[in-house]
Amino acid sequence: MPGMSGVEVTQQLREEHGSNRLPVIMVSARGSEEDIVQGLAAGCNGPSPHPTRPNMLDPRLDPRP
């Protein structure tokens, strides 16, 4: 992503919107354990491999706990 990494975008979103108001799913071809841990530490709700299918994302976007 030009200008900012996905981790940086997630951190900014969390600073502006908190952790419960806006679900963040990281869709990335980078799937190493380190990449996943960095995304989760930044506040994403979960990683998803790229390419992904819509049915893999729908349950993760449900705002209910």
Side-chain angles (χ1 to χ4, degrees):
M1 208 162 64
M4 292 180 99
S5 72
V7 169
E8 292 169 328
V9 170
T10 301
Q11 290 169 332
Q12 184 173 350
L13 287 169
R14 290 300 177 226
E15 288 173 11
E16 294 176 13
H17 300 284
S19 61
N20 295 326
R21 296 185 57 209
L22 182 66
V24 175
I25 305 295
M26 287 188 139
V27 179
S28 176
R30 299 176 67 181
S32 74
E33 185 175 324
E34 181 180 345
D35 293 324
I36 293 169
V37 169
Q38 285 180 349
L40 292 171
C44 83
N45 296 82
S48 185
H50 177 73
T52 193
R53 294 180 180 91
N55 63 338
M56 291 177 66
L57 296 178
D58 290 345
R60 295 180 190 193
L61 297 176
D62 188 344
R64 293 173 286 178

